[in-house]
Amino acid sequence: MKKMLALLMAATMALSLAACGGSSTSGSASSGSTASPSTEDSASTSSTASGEELTFGYIAYDMTDIWNEYSARAFEYAAEQNGVKTVVLDSKNSLEESITAMESLIQQGVDGISIFPISTEQGSQLVKMANEAGIPVTVENFSMDGLEDPGDYIGSVACEYDKIGEAAIKYIAEQKPGAKIFFCAGQQGAGVYEKYQEGVDRALEELDGQVEIVSTLHADWLTDKAYNVTTDLISSGTEFDYIFANNGMMAQGCYQALQDAGMTDIPIVSTGGSPDDYKMLQDGVESACMTAPVSIQGVQTFMNLYNYVAKGEEPAEKFMPLPVIPVSGDDFSDYIAWDDYAAAYEYLNSNAQ
């Protein structure tokens, strides 16, 4: 297979991970190719029509990012369940490394590739490389339909931040009709907060005055800044009786400010459903979380690829949104942990049409 010539493009780094995932320095960095050991021990294997065992490649955006790491592990888990070998390559948030990873998978002759791009533009470049090599490819963490020519990909799965914002406001309206909400929002300008705001506005319009946003202050996804803006809001005398925090880190800062002011009776709703969110739900820091389990994302992107390669089936929809699953602090029955790959796999199987 000939060496592919990569044309590196100037791409704006997407900040979409800040809201749903965030980064963790304790995440396990991965370099080179790693075949899942448990996959090699699987009793059954999937194969092509010619009888050859299937091997899928996975190009990570950055395995030190907790959102990406859990998604990659979920992909490997789903592969194990279906007897598919995996080769996981980490592009380490580098355009050049992502090109090298794609070239490596093409040279290895894998049967399919899933990519977690750095941006939609870079994702399109990788998709077209796979197209030229005749290898099926699927995409996660981005909707590619905003591009004029994204290349030929099977399907994509990602968070829809507007739906998370909408779900949060509607949840609050159900819990406390007439609530006066402080929206502790993420950073402006990157497109993530703006999508959340679209959903918040849509919910408010539909609810027609059942709840109101009394203040929107930006804490830029940071705990310290959330503490400061919440403290300032309390000092201003603005009355509020509910908080929607745009992520778990900001929820923690909001709660610390409420503690200092003796106002911990004010509930906080957050987003994501990370391991930290789960702990905060248990501890009463968050009253509820609009969870978006990234474990489901990893399983779904595998199934998009597997169903196409092994069964010739395309997804019913080109883009599949990650489900928003509200979880309250007094009922954890619907919670799917980011590292509970079996639960994510079962969720998708039970919800399959």
Side-chain angles (χ1 to χ4, degrees):
M1 188 176 297
K2 70 177 185 179
K3 182 83 169 177
M4 303 287 296
L5 293 177
L7 300 176
L8 295 178
M9 60 178 69
T12 301
M13 296 301 181
L15 296 178
S16 63
L17 299 177
C20 268
S23 61
S24 169
T25 56
S26 63
S28 59
S30 175
S31 61
S33 63
T34 59
S36 171
S38 55
T39 299
E40 293 174 353
D41 295 336
S42 177
S44 61
T45 59
S46 290
S47 60
T48 62
S50 63
E52 297 178 357
E53 186 176 352
L54 291 177
T55 299
F56 288 168
Y58 181 98
I59 299 178
Y61 139 75
D62 190 340
M63 289 286 278
T64 64
D65 179 275
I66 189 172
W67 181 260
N68 194 176
E69 180 186 11
Y70 283 131
S71 186
R73 299 310 176 208
F75 180 91
E76 290 183 297
Y77 175 86
E80 177 187 353
Q81 301 310 299
N82 290 276
V84 177
K85 289 186 176 180
T86 55
V87 181
V88 177
L89 300 178
D90 185 3
S91 63
K92 303 175 185 176
N93 196 20
S94 163
L95 295 173
E96 294 86 350
E97 288 286 345
S98 71
I99 296 297
T100 300
M102 178 58 78
E103 290 178 329
S104 175
L105 293 176
I106 291 171
Q107 289 169 354
Q108 293 179 58
V110 297
D111 301 290
I113 299 171
S114 179
I115 62 171
F116 189 123
I118 298 171
S119 68
T120 53
E121 293 81 5
Q122 178 250 6
S124 175
Q125 184 180 13
L126 295 179
V127 166
K128 290 175 181 177
M129 290 177 68
N131 291 167
E132 186 173 338
I135 300 175
V137 60
T138 191
V139 181
E140 68 169 298
N141 213 58
F142 286 97
S143 171
M144 301 291 285
D145 53 13
L147 296 178
E148 183 176 344
D149 181 19
D152 185 12
Y153 63 98
I154 298 164
S156 64
V157 54
C159 275
E160 285 190 309
Y161 301 109
D162 59 324
K163 291 188 176 180
I164 299 175
E166 181 179 10
I169 300 304
K170 288 183 175 179
Y171 177 87
I172 293 172
E174 290 175 358
Q175 301 302 310
K176 188 178 180 65
K180 296 180 178 180
I181 304 167
F182 162 40
F183 181 16
C184 187
Q187 186 175 29
Q188 291 177 290
V192 178
Y193 150 71
E194 287 77 7
K195 292 299 293 183
Y196 273 111
Q197 187 67 59
E198 285 181 20
V200 168
D201 292 343
R202 189 165 61 241
L204 291 171
E205 182 178 358
E206 184 177 332
L207 291 168
D208 192 23
Q210 294 181 42
V211 296
E212 64 174 317
I213 303 289
V214 297
S215 182
T216 299
L217 299 175
H218 295 272
D220 300 345
W221 316 115
L222 303 173
T223 300
D224 289 349
K225 192 163 184 180
Y227 174 86
N228 291 335
V229 298
T230 306
T231 298
D232 290 344
L233 184 64
I234 293 170
S235 298
S236 74
T238 300
E239 293 185 4
F240 62 96
D241 50 26
Y242 238 106
I243 295 177
F244 170 36
N246 227 167
N247 73 355
M249 293 178 66
M250 292 190 294
Q252 182 67 60
C254 292
Y255 184 78
Q256 290 170 357
L258 293 177
Q259 272 189 315
D260 288 352
M263 299 169 63
T264 54
D265 58 324
I266 293 179
I268 301 173
V269 173
S270 186
T271 70
S274 71
D276 286 341
D277 286 309
Y278 185 76
K279 182 66 164 56
M280 285 190 282
L281 283 168
Q282 290 179 310
D283 294 344
V285 173
E286 296 178 4
S287 66
C289 187
M290 304 298 105
T291 70
V294 72
S295 46
I296 293 178
Q297 178 171 296
V299 172
Q300 184 64 69
T301 198
F302 170 83
M303 296 311 301
N304 286 347
L305 188 59
Y306 178 76
N307 287 340
Y308 182 86
V309 173
K311 304 177 182 179
E313 299 174 359
E314 295 189 11
E317 301 291 338
K318 193 76 169 177
F319 172 72
M320 305 180 77
L322 206 57
V324 182
I325 305 175
V327 176
S328 69
D330 56 6
D331 183 3
F332 293 90
S333 59
D334 291 332
Y335 182 83
I336 297 177
W338 286 9
D339 61 352
D340 193 346
Y341 313 124
Y345 192 81
E346 175 59 28
Y347 176 88
L348 288 176
N349 282 337
S350 63
N351 286 276
Q353 299 298 321

